[in-house]
C-alpha cells in the first residue's frame, strides 16, 4: 500500500491539492475544539480512501472530513496515536493550508514530530545507525501550500537527521557506523551535493517524477515557486532564533547548524554577516588542538573501529562554521571588515592544525575532506576560486604565510592545494621548485598545464585555459633560464610527456615544437643508432667500465684507519687526473668519513680519447644510495639520475657511457640488461651478440641526467683528446685496431636467434629449447659485422656424430657464417672438420672472432677467426696456438684466404723439457701481429708478420729469475697468389 501511495503521490498530488480549496468549500468548516472518536475515524478513513484512489480519479476526489481545521484537531486528538503510521504521514498532506505546521524555531518542528510519531522516533533512535529512512516518510510541500507549513516540511526534510535523532547533542558529532546520519531525509543519494541545505530546498522538497521534457520544465518551475516561498520564512526563523537564543541551543537549534543552513540559502544576506560577527566569539575558534589521551600507534594510523571523542566533534563544528563564514565573506564582502577574508583563511589553517590530532585518532571519522566534505570550508574555495581573483590571491598568500613545505607531511596544505585547483597547485609549485630539500607535497598539475586554448564559446573552460597558458609560459621561462638541469629536466619531462610528444604524429603544438627543438633531440628510449641525430653507439664510442671494491684493510677495527684506507682507494679511481678532481674527491671522502658511510663498490667509465670520466659509487647505507659524478679537468661534479631512467627499484642498470656528439656532456644508456642474454624467449628481442636493440638514453647536463641535445659542431666543446703521434718502422694501424678489439670486446651469442636462423640449416642442436647437456655446441662466438650493422659474424665448434648418432671423438665440426638475424637469413658460410690429436684440443673457449681492419684490397675486407686449439703435451719442448684464419665473402660462401697461421707459440731454448724448478730453463714466448702494408702483389696488399718475443729465464746463475728479454722482428711477408696468401 505504501508503494501505491508513493507512486500516486510522486506523480499526482499536485492535482489533488489544486482541487482542495474548491472541495473544502463544499463541506463547510468545523467549529468544534476537539474531535470525538467517530470524527477521528472518519478523517482517517478519508485519508485511507485518498491513498487508495487511482491516479486517474484523483481530480475527482472530494474532501469532506480532512479539512485544514479538522486536520489540526485530528493531530491534537488523543486518538491520533491509535492511527497507523501511513495515516499519520499522509494526513499532513491536508495540513498545508492550516495552522498545524506553524513553528517559531527548528526545535518546534522536532517537538511536534515527536508528539505525532513517538514510536517511530523511538525506533529510529534505537537503531545501530540511527536515522529516519524507512521510519517516517512525509510528502510535500506543494505549490499551493501556505509558506509556513511549507517551511515546516522543508526544514524537516532538509535538516541533517543527526539534529532530529540527537537533539541534545552537537549535530556534527561523528561516531563509527553512523556515516549517513548527517544526510538530510530528502537526499536521494550519498553525493556531496545532497548534503547541501539550499540544494535540498531547491531540488528535493516537493519533488515529483517527470517523464517528458515539458513535464520536467513545468515541475522544476513548481519546485522553484515552493522554494521561493520557503526561503524567506526560514531566514526569518533563523534570524529570530539566533537573536533570542544566540549559541545556547542544541540539536536543530545549534547556532552553527542554523548559520550553516542560512549561509547555504542566502550567503549574501547582510543580516547573516552581522549575526555571525556577533556570535563568533562564543565559538572559541582559536581554541588549541586537543590530543586524545587514548592515542596509540594504531590509533594514529587511523584504526577502523575507534569511536569519536567530544573534543574532536567540536573540530567538525568549527569546520561547519568556517564554511558558512567563508560563503558569507565572499558573497557579502561589504558587510565584513576589510581583512575578513584573510582572517577566515588563517582560521581555516588553524582548524587544519586542530584537526590533525582528530584524524590521528580516527581518520575514518574526522578527515574533513572525506566523509565530512559537506561541512568542509575548503569546498567553498573550490567552488569560488576560479571566479574570484581576491580569493585566489588570498589563498596563495595564506599558503606562503605557512612557510616552505618540508618532507612528506602534507596534512597542513593538502586541503588548500586539493580544493584550490590545478592552477593554484601549479603556481604554488612554481614558487617552490627550487626548495631544497624538495617536498613531495608540492607538485604542479601537469595535465592542466599542457592543455591548449579552449574555444571562447566554452566560457568557463576558456577562462581556465587562459590561466593555464599564462602559467605554462612562466614554467617554460623558468626552465629556459634556470641553472639547475635537474629542475629543467623535471619541467621538460612533465610538459612533453617524457619527450614522447616531441616525436609523435601529428606534429605537436607550436609551443611544444619550439620547446622540443631547443631541449630534446631524441626520445628517452632510443635504438643504438639515433633516429633523429643519426649518431651511432658503436664499440669505438663506448666508454670502458672498470669496477672495483675497497680493499679489506687490516685496521684492527679502528674507524679512522678504515676511513683513511677508503679515502686512499677513492683517490686511486682518479689516477692520472688533475688536482682539481683529486681535491673534490678528498672533500667527498671527508664527508663520507664524517657520516661514517662506507663505499661498497665503485665503477669508473673512461675512454682513451676523452678527458672526462664518469664515476658511480654504491654506498653501504640504509637507502643503498648510488652517487654519480663527472670527473674532468675542472674538478668532480655530482649529478642526479631521474627515476624515469632507472625504471624504479632494481629494474634498470647503467649499461653504457658515451659522448656521441663530442660536446663534453656524457650520455648514459640505461637498460635492464644491455648485453646479457637471459636464455629464454625474451632473447629474441636482442641482437645476435646479446646486445639490446634499445635503451633509455640521456645526457648529463649540470646537476642532472636529462634529455639528449645534439650540440651543433660549431658550439661543441673540444674535450676529445687525440692520441700522441708516434713514428713506427711499419704501418701499425691494423695492429692497433685488432689488438684493441681482441682485448676489449665480449663475443657473446644470442643462442635463441642463432637457433632460429641456423639450427635447421646446419642440422645442429643448439639446445636452446631442449636440455642444454644434449646440445651439439662446444664453442660459440658472435660479433657485429664491421661493415654492415644488420649482419652478424658467427663462429662455432660443434660435435659430429656417426651413423649411430654417437659423438665422434676424433674430430669436431667448425662453422663460420654471416647471418641476418632480423630476417633469419644465412648469407655466407664456411664449414669444415677439424681433426683431434695429441696437440689439438677443442673446448668452450677455443674461438675468438677477429674483425680488425684487414683491408686486403679496395672494397675487400677480410673477416678473421682465431682458434685456440693448440695443446702442448707434458714435457714438450714447444707448442703453437691461436691459429688465425682470414675469410672473404664471395657470393653465398666464405672463402679462406689465410689458414692456420699460428699467432702464438713457445719453444724451449735451454734446459730440459721436464723441469721441476731445479734446473735452468730458458723459454721463448712469441706473439705475432699482422700489419697491412701499402705495397701490393696481384692487386692485394702484402701482409707483414711481426713477431714479438719474450725470452724468460727461470732459476738462473743467481738462483733468481732473470728480467725478461723483449725482442721484435719482422718474421715474414705474406703475398697474395691466386687470391690467397702463401708464406
Amino acid at each position: 500500500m505504501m508503494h501505491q501511495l508513493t507512486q500516486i503521490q510522486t506523480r499526482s498530488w499536485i492535482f489533488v491539492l489544486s482541487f482542495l480549496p474548491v472541495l473544502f468549500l463544499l463541506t463547510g468548516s468545523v467549529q468544534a475544539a476537539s474531535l470525538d472518536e467517530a470524527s477521528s475515524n472518519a478523517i482517517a478513513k478519508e485519508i485511507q480512501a485518498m491513498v487508495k484512489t487511482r491516479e486517474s480519479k484523483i481530480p475527482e476526489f472530494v474532501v469532506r472530513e480532512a479539512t485544514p481545521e479538522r486536520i489540526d484537531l485530528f493531530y491534537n486528538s488523543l486518538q491520533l496515536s491509535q492511527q497507523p503510521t501511513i495515516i499519520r504521514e499522509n494526513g499532513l498532506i491536508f495540513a498545508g493550508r492550516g495552522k498545524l505546521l506553524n513553528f517559531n524555531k527548528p526545535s518546534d518542528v522536532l517537538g511536534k514530530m515527536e508528539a505525532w510519531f513517538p514510536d517511530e522516533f523511538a525506533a529510529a533512535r534505537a537503531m545501530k545507525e540511527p536515522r529516519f529512512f524507512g521510519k517516517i516518510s512525509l510528502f510535500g510541500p506543494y505549490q499551493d501550500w501556505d509558506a509556513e507549513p511549507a517551511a515546516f516540511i522543508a526544514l524537516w526534510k532538509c535538516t541533517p537527521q543527526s539534529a532530529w535523532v540527537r537533539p541534545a547533542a552537537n549535530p556534527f558529532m561523528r561516531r563509527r557506523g553512523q556515516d549517513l546520519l548527517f544526510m538530510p531525509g530528502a537526499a536521494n543519494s550519498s553525493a556531496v551535493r545532497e548534503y547541501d541545505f539550499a540544494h535540498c530546498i531547491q531540488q528535493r522538497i516537493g519533488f515529483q517524477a517527470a517523464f517528458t521534457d515539458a513535464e520536467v520544465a513545468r515541475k522544476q518551475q513548481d519546485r522553484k515557486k515552493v522554494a521561493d516561498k520557503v526561503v524567506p520564512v526560514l531566514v526569518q526563523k533563523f534570524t529570530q532564533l539566533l537573536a533570542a537564543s544566540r549559541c545556547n541551543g542544541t540539536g536543530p537549534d545549534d547556532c552553527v547548524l542554523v548559520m550553516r543552513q542560512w549561509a547555504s540559502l542566502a550567503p549574501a544576506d547582510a543580516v547573516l554577516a552581522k549575526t555571525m560577527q556577533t556570535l563568533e566569539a562564543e565559538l572559541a575558534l582559536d581554541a588549541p588542538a586537543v590530543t586524545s589521551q587514548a592515542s596509540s600507534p594504531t590509533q594514529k594510523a587511523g584504526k577502523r573501529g575507534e569511536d569519536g571523542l567530544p573534543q574532536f566533534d567540536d573540530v567538525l563544528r568549527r569546520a561547519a562554521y568556517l564554511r558558512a563564514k567563508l560563503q558569507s565573506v565572499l558573497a557579502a564582502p561589504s558587510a565584513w571588515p576589510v581583512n575578513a577574508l584573510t582572517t577566515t583563511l588563517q582560521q581555516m589553517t588553524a582548524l587544519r592544525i586542530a584537526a590533525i590530532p582528530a584524524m590521528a585518532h580516527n581518520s575514518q571519522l574526522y578527515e574533513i575532506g572525506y566523509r565530512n566534505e559537506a561541512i568542509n570550508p575548503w569546498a567553498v574555495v573550490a567552488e569560488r576560486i576560479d571566479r574570484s581573483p581576491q580569493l585566489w590571491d588570498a589563498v596563495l598568500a595564506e599558503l606562503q604565510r605557512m612557510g616552505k613545505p618540508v618532507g612528506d607531511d602534507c596534512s597542513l596544505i593538502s586541503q588548500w592545494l586539493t580544493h584550490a585547483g590545478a592552477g593554484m597547485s601549479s603556481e604554488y609549485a612554481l614558487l617552490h621548485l627550487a626548495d631544497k630539500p624538495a617536498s613531495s607535497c608540492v607538485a604542479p598539475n601537469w595535465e592542466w598545464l599542457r592543455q591548449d586554448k579552449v574555444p571562447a564559446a566554452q566560457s568557463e573552460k576558456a577562462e581556465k585555459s587562459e590561466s593555464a597558458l599564462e602559467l605554462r609560459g612562466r614554467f617554460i621561462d623558468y626552465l629556459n633560464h634556470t641553472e639547475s638541469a635537474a629542475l629543467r629536466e623535471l619541467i621538460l619531462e612533465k610538459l612533453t610527456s617524457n619527450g614522447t610528444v616531441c616525436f609523435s604524429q601529428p606534429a605537436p603544438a607550436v609551443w611544444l615544437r619550439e620547446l622540443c627543438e631547443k631541449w630534446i633531440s631524441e626520445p628517452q628510449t632510443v635504438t643504438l643508432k639515433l633516429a633523429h641525430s643519426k649518431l651511432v653507439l658503436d664499440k669505438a664510442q663506448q666508454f670502458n667500465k672498470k669496477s672495483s671494491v675497497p680493499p679489506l684493510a687490516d685496521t684492527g677495527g679502528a674507524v679512522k684507519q678504515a676511513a683513511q684506507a677508503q679515502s686512499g682507494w677513492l683517490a686511486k679511481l682518479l689516477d692520472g687526473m688533475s688536482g682539481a678532481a683529486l681535491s673534490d674527491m678528498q672533500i667527498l671522502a671527508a664527508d663520507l668519513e664524517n657520516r661514517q658511510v662506507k663505499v661498497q663498490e665503485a665503477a669508473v667509465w673512461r675512454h682513451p680519447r676523452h678527458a672526462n670520466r664518469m664515476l658511480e659509487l654504491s654506498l653501504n647505507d640504509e637507502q643503498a644510495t648510488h652517487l654519480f659524478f663527472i670527473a674532468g679537468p675542472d674538478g668532480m661534479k655530482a649529478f642526479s639520475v631521474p627515476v624515469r631512467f632507472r625504471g624504479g627499484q632494481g629494474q634498470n642498470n647503467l649499461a653504457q657511457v658515451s659522448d656521441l656528439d663530442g660536446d663534453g656532456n656524457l650520455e648514459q644508456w640505461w637498460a635492464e640488461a644491455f648485453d646479457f642474454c637471459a636464455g629464454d624467449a625474451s632473447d629474441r628481442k636482442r641482437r645476435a651478440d646479446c646486445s639490446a636493440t634499445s635503451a633509455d638514453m640521456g645526457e648529463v647536463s649540470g646537476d642532472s641526467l636529462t634529455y639528449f641535445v645534439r650540440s651543433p659542431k660549431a658550439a661543441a666543446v673540444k674535450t676529445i683528446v687525440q692520441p700522441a703521434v708516434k713514428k713506427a718502422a711499419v704501418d701499425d694501424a691494423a695492429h692497433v685496431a685488432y689488438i684493441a678489439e681482441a682485448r676489449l670486446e665480449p663475443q657473446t651469442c644470442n643462442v635463441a636467434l642463432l637457433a632460429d636462423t641456423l639450427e635447421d640449416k646446419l642440422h645442429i642442436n643448439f639446445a636452446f629449447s631442449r636440455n642444454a647437456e644434449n646440445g651439439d655446441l662446444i664453442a660459440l662466438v658472435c660479433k657485429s659485422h664491421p661493415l654492415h650493422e644488420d649482419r652478424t659474424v658467427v663462429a662455432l665448434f660443434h660435435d659430429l656424430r656417426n651413423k649411430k648418432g654417437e659423438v665422434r671423438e676424433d674430430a669436431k665440426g667448425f662453422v663460420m657464417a654471416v647471418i641476418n638475424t632480423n630476417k633469419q637469413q644465412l648469407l655466407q658460410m664456411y664449414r669444415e672438420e677439424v681433426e683431434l690429436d695429441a696437440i689439438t684440443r677443442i673446448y668452450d673457449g677455443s674461438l675468438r672472432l677477429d674483425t680488425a681492419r684487414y683491408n686486403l684490397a679496395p672494397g675487400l675486407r677480410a673477416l678473421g677467426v682465431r682458434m685456440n686449439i693448440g695443446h702442448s703435451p707434458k714435457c714438450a719442448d714447444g707448442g703453437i696456438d691461436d691459429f688465425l684464419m682470414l675469410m672473404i665473402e664471395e657470393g653465398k660462401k666464405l672463402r679462406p684466404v689465410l689458414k692456420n697461421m699460428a699467432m702464438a707459440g713457445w719453444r724451449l731454448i735451454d734446459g730440459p723439457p721436464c723441469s721441476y724448478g731445479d734446473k735452468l730453463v730458458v723459454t721463448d714466448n712469441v706473439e705475432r701481429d699482422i700489419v697491412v702494408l701499402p705495397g701490393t702483389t696481384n692487386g692485394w696488399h702484402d701482409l707483414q708478420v711481426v713477431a714479438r718475443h719474450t725470452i724468460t729465464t727461470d732459476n738462473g746463475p743467481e738462483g733468481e729469475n732473470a728480467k725478461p728479454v723483449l725482442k721484435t722482428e719482422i718474421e715474414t711477408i705474406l703475398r697474395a697468389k691466386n687470391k690467397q696468401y702463401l708464406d
Side-chain angles (χ1 to χ4, degrees):
M1 184 179 298
M2 191 62 193
H3 172 74
Q4 177 190 10
L5 174 63
T6 302
Q7 183 181 41
I8 293 172
Q9 286 300 324
T10 300
R11 295 184 287 183
S12 305
W13 276 121
I14 187 66
F15 299 109
V16 176
L17 297 172
S18 65
F19 277 84
L20 288 180
V22 178
L23 299 182
F24 286 155
L25 294 176
L26 298 176
T27 62
S29 60
V30 177
Q31 302 297 325
S34 61
L35 293 177
D36 56 23
E37 183 176 353
S39 298
S40 294
N41 289 339
I43 294 173
K45 185 176 180 180
E46 188 167 80
I47 295 172
Q48 183 66 36
M50 181 270 294
V51 170
K52 294 181 177 182
T53 301
R54 293 175 60 86
E55 180 178 356
S56 60
K57 300 296 183 180
I58 286 178
E60 304 171 12
F61 188 87
V62 178
V63 178
R64 290 184 171 85
E65 302 293 338
T67 63
E69 295 84 354
R70 291 170 66 84
I71 282 293
D72 288 358
L73 296 173
F74 179 73
Y75 275 86
N76 288 304
S77 67
L78 297 176
Q79 291 82 10
L80 179 69
S81 60
Q82 302 172 12
Q83 301 296 336
T85 302
I86 192 171
I87 298 299
R88 286 176 282 137
E89 290 173 334
N90 288 277
L92 291 177
I93 294 173
F94 299 93
R97 301 292 295 273
K99 299 182 182 298
L100 179 66
L101 300 181
N102 287 358
F103 68 101
N104 291 321
K105 56 185 181 297
S107 58
D108 293 344
V109 175
L110 174 65
K112 290 187 176 184
M113 291 294 293
E114 285 180 319
W116 298 334
F117 300 95
D119 295 339
E120 290 79 5
F121 264 80
R125 289 169 174 166
M127 294 174 64
K128 184 177 182 181
E129 184 174 6
R131 53 181 176 170
F132 291 101
F133 295 123
K135 303 299 181 184
I136 302 175
S137 299
L138 301 187
F139 302 93
Y142 296 105
Q143 184 178 343
D144 66 342
W145 279 27
D146 292 341
E148 192 160 340
F152 182 105
I153 297 298
L155 192 62
W156 168 258
K157 286 187 171 184
C158 295
T159 296
Q161 293 180 83
S162 57
W164 308 127
V165 170
R166 298 181 300 222
N170 174 359
F172 303 99
M173 68 181 290
R174 292 299 304 270
R175 294 297 180 265
R176 55 191 173 92
Q178 299 179 9
D179 294 337
L180 301 178
L181 193 54
F182 200 69
M183 180 185 292
N188 65 2
S189 74
S190 59
V192 174
R193 68 177 181 276
E194 295 295 327
Y195 291 76
D196 182 69
F197 189 72
H199 174 81
C200 181
I201 295 294
Q202 295 162 3
Q203 299 296 329
R204 294 292 170 252
I205 61 170
F207 178 82
Q208 301 172 70
F211 302 97
T212 66
D213 292 343
E215 285 183 333
V216 170
R218 179 171 57 81
K219 292 182 178 180
Q220 176 65 34
Q221 285 298 316
D222 292 343
R223 287 198 300 274
K224 183 179 184 304
K225 291 177 181 178
V226 173
D228 290 345
K229 184 183 298 184
V230 163
V231 170
V233 176
L234 292 175
V235 169
Q236 180 191 19
K237 302 295 185 183
F238 294 159
T239 303
Q240 294 172 348
L241 169 66
L242 296 179
S245 300
R246 299 180 67 85
C247 282
N248 295 317
T250 60
D253 290 346
D254 180 271
C255 66
V256 172
L257 177 64
V258 171
M259 285 187 282
R260 170 186 177 269
Q261 298 184 155
W262 188 353
S264 178
L265 287 178
D269 190 341
V271 177
L272 168 65
K274 182 179 179 180
T275 301
M276 297 186 79
Q277 293 172 64
T278 301
L279 298 179
E280 183 170 305
E282 300 181 24
L283 301 178
L285 294 180
D286 298 327
V290 181
T291 303
S292 168
Q293 297 178 352
S295 285
S296 67
T298 55
Q299 289 175 325
K300 291 180 180 180
K303 178 182 176 184
R304 185 173 178 84
E306 295 171 42
D307 218 333
L309 293 172
Q311 61 265 41
F312 295 150
D313 296 329
D314 186 61
V315 171
L316 298 183
R317 186 168 181 260
R318 289 157 63 178
Y321 171 78
L322 288 175
R323 177 187 175 101
K325 180 180 180 181
L326 184 58
Q327 287 175 306
S328 177
V329 169
L330 292 174
S334 61
W336 289 85
V338 175
N339 65 340
L341 180 57
T342 298
T343 301
T344 304
L345 300 187
Q346 292 177 1
Q347 289 173 327
M348 289 167 62
T349 296
L351 170 70
R352 190 63 183 169
I353 295 173
I356 291 174
M359 289 186 293
H361 173 75
N362 191 318
S363 62
Q364 293 282 345
L365 294 182
Y366 294 110
E367 170 53 62
I368 292 179
Y370 179 44
R371 297 179 186 271
N372 300 297
E373 188 69 17
I375 58 172
N376 187 353
W378 285 273
V380 179
V381 174
E383 294 170 2
R384 296 292 303 273
I385 195 163
D386 287 324
R387 292 174 285 145
S388 173
Q390 295 80 9
L391 179 59
W392 178 285
D393 293 340
V395 169
L396 187 60
E398 178 60 15
L399 283 167
Q400 290 296 88
R401 186 188 71 85
M402 285 187 276
K404 184 175 71 173
V406 178
D408 300 327
D409 184 2
C410 310
S411 56
L412 191 58
I413 65 173
S414 60
Q415 286 284 348
W416 291 109
L417 296 181
T418 299
H419 287 83
M424 180 60 66
S425 62
S426 300
E427 179 158 355
Y428 183 67
L430 181 60
L431 294 174
H432 291 278
L433 269 182
D435 287 355
K436 291 185 178 180
S439 171
S440 63
C441 306
V442 181
N445 187 313
W446 297 107
E447 182 178 359
W448 180 80
L449 287 169
R450 287 193 297 267
Q451 69 179 330
D452 287 315
K453 190 172 182 179
V454 176
Q458 304 177 40
S459 56
E460 183 177 351
K461 292 185 177 179
E463 181 181 350
K464 291 184 179 180
S465 71
E466 289 289 352
S467 175
L469 293 178
E470 185 275 332
L471 194 53
R472 183 177 69 211
R474 290 166 58 190
F475 271 88
I476 293 174
D477 186 65
Y478 189 100
L479 80 87
N480 283 331
H481 294 90
T482 182
E483 296 182 357
S484 171
L487 294 178
R488 183 167 59 249
E489 147 71 22
L490 171 66
I491 299 173
L492 281 173
E493 176 189 351
K494 300 301 184 180
L495 287 184
T496 66
S497 299
N498 204 14
T500 56
V501 297
C502 296
F503 310 97
S504 61
Q505 294 296 331
V510 174
W511 70 270
L512 266 174
R513 190 161 61 249
E514 293 174 350
L515 197 64
C516 295
E517 289 173 353
K518 183 174 183 178
W519 295 109
I520 304 178
S521 297
E522 298 287 344
Q524 175 178 322
T525 302
V526 296
T527 60
L528 304 193
K529 180 177 180 180
L530 303 183
H532 306 278
S533 307
K534 307 304 180 185
L535 301 172
V536 180
L537 179 68
D538 55 22
K539 301 295 183 182
Q541 299 289 343
Q542 297 175 13
F543 278 46
N544 302 320
K545 177 184 179 181
K546 182 179 180 181
S547 299
S548 62
V549 295
L552 298 175
D554 184 10
T555 62
V559 174
K560 185 174 183 179
Q561 287 87 336
Q564 290 175 347
Q566 176 171 277
S567 299
W569 169 70
L570 289 172
K572 289 182 180 180
L573 300 177
L574 301 181
D575 279 349
M577 299 207 72
S578 66
L582 291 173
S583 177
D584 290 341
M585 180 62 85
Q586 290 174 355
I587 294 173
L588 172 64
D591 177 65
L592 294 175
E593 179 180 352
N594 290 336
R595 294 190 288 128
Q596 297 185 7
V597 175
K598 294 182 179 180
V599 180
Q600 184 171 313
E601 185 179 6
V604 180
W605 299 79
R606 58 191 301 183
H607 195 284
R609 296 186 294 113
H610 205 289
N612 291 342
R613 302 179 192 178
M614 184 175 292
L615 279 69
E616 178 183 5
L617 303 182
S618 303
L619 304 186
N620 188 19
D621 58 3
E622 293 182 357
Q623 295 77 29
T625 305
H626 284 250
L627 302 179
F628 292 91
F629 302 90
I630 297 294
D634 297 331
M636 195 172 74
K637 298 179 181 178
F639 66 92
S640 60
V641 177
V643 174
R644 66 184 178 91
F645 290 101
R646 293 182 276 118
Q649 185 69 26
Q651 292 186 14
N652 282 352
N653 300 295
L654 178 57
Q656 295 291 343
V657 173
S658 63
D659 185 8
L660 297 185
D661 56 355
D663 63 352
N665 296 325
L666 303 188
E667 300 100 29
Q668 283 190 339
W669 300 71
W670 288 80
E672 185 176 357
F674 192 77
D675 52 8
F676 173 75
C677 280
D680 55 32
S682 66
D683 293 346
R684 291 188 171 91
K685 298 179 181 179
R686 297 179 170 274
R687 291 184 169 185
D689 61 357
C690 285
S691 62
T693 57
S694 65
D696 288 345
M697 187 270 284
E699 186 174 47
V700 180
S701 176
D703 60 354
S704 178
L705 183 69
T706 185
Y707 296 92
F708 174 76
V709 181
R710 183 173 187 180
S711 301
K713 291 184 178 179
V717 181
K718 294 182 179 180
T719 59
I720 300 297
V721 180
Q722 300 297 333
V725 177
K726 63 177 181 178
K727 295 183 179 180
V730 295
D731 181 2
D732 61 354
H735 166 75
V736 173
Y738 90 77
I739 286 294
E741 290 187 3
R743 289 181 178 175
L744 299 178
E745 291 189 5
Q747 298 188 3
T748 310
C749 283
N750 189 330
V751 180
L753 289 185
L754 296 183
D756 293 342
T757 306
L758 295 176
E759 195 166 40
D760 292 338
K761 297 178 178 67
L762 300 180
H763 303 290
I764 295 175
N765 179 4
F766 276 69
F768 175 70
S769 58
R770 306 177 181 90
N771 186 340
E773 295 181 359
N774 295 330
D776 295 326
L777 293 179
I778 302 173
L780 177 65
V781 289
C782 301
K783 285 187 72 173
S784 296
H785 195 290
L787 301 179
H788 305 285
E789 64 178 21
D790 60 341
R791 300 179 186 180
T792 301
V793 184
V794 180
L796 61 90
F797 282 125
H798 65 91
D799 284 328
L800 297 174
R801 297 181 183 273
N802 57 27
K803 294 181 180 180
K804 296 181 180 181
E806 299 169 335
V807 175
R808 290 173 54 185
E809 301 295 340
D810 61 335
K812 300 298 177 184
F814 168 73
V815 176
M816 184 169 176
V818 177
I819 63 173
N820 184 324
T821 53
N822 293 334
K823 299 180 180 180
Q824 295 188 12
Q825 289 180 335
L826 172 61
L827 303 177
Q828 291 97 17
M829 183 180 70
Y830 172 80
R831 193 170 195 174
E832 71 173 11
E833 290 188 12
V834 178
E835 294 184 359
L836 303 182
D837 53 32
I839 60 172
T840 305
R841 297 286 189 272
I842 294 177
Y843 60 100
D844 57 2
S846 290
L847 284 174
R848 189 181 65 200
L849 289 167
D850 182 355
T851 55
R853 294 194 297 270
Y854 293 113
N855 297 316
L856 306 183
L860 180 65
R861 178 165 177 169
L863 304 172
V865 62
R866 294 176 179 244
M867 301 181 181
N868 298 310
I869 59 177
H871 173 70
S872 298
K874 185 177 181 180
C875 296
D877 57 3
I880 56 176
D881 198 5
D882 196 18
F883 296 97
L884 174 66
M885 183 183 299
L886 295 182
M887 305 270 192
I888 63 172
E889 298 164 88
E890 288 185 345
K892 295 184 178 181
K893 295 182 179 181
L894 290 177
R895 182 173 67 84
V897 296
L898 176 66
K899 291 190 65 175
N900 301 327
M901 168 163 281
M903 302 301 288
W906 69 278
R907 67 185 180 89
L908 191 63
I909 298 176
D910 194 6
C914 291
S915 173
Y916 299 96
D918 56 347
K919 301 277 179 79
L920 174 69
V921 176
V922 181
T923 306
D924 179 10
N925 296 283
V926 63
E927 293 183 357
R928 296 180 177 87
D929 302 323
I930 289 183
V931 179
V932 179
L933 297 178
T936 62
T937 301
N938 296 320
W940 286 20
H941 284 284
D942 299 333
L943 303 182
Q944 180 176 263
V945 180
V946 178
R948 293 179 286 112
H949 295 269
T950 302
I951 300 173
T952 61
T953 301
D954 297 332
N955 296 310
E958 304 299 327
E960 296 180 358
N961 297 337
K963 184 177 180 180
V965 177
L966 306 180
K967 182 176 68 173
T968 301
E969 63 178 357
I970 298 175
E971 194 171 69
T972 187
I973 295 178
L974 306 178
R975 293 180 171 84
K977 183 178 181 181
N978 297 327
K979 295 187 178 180
Q980 60 181 324
Y981 286 94
L982 302 173
D983 54 9

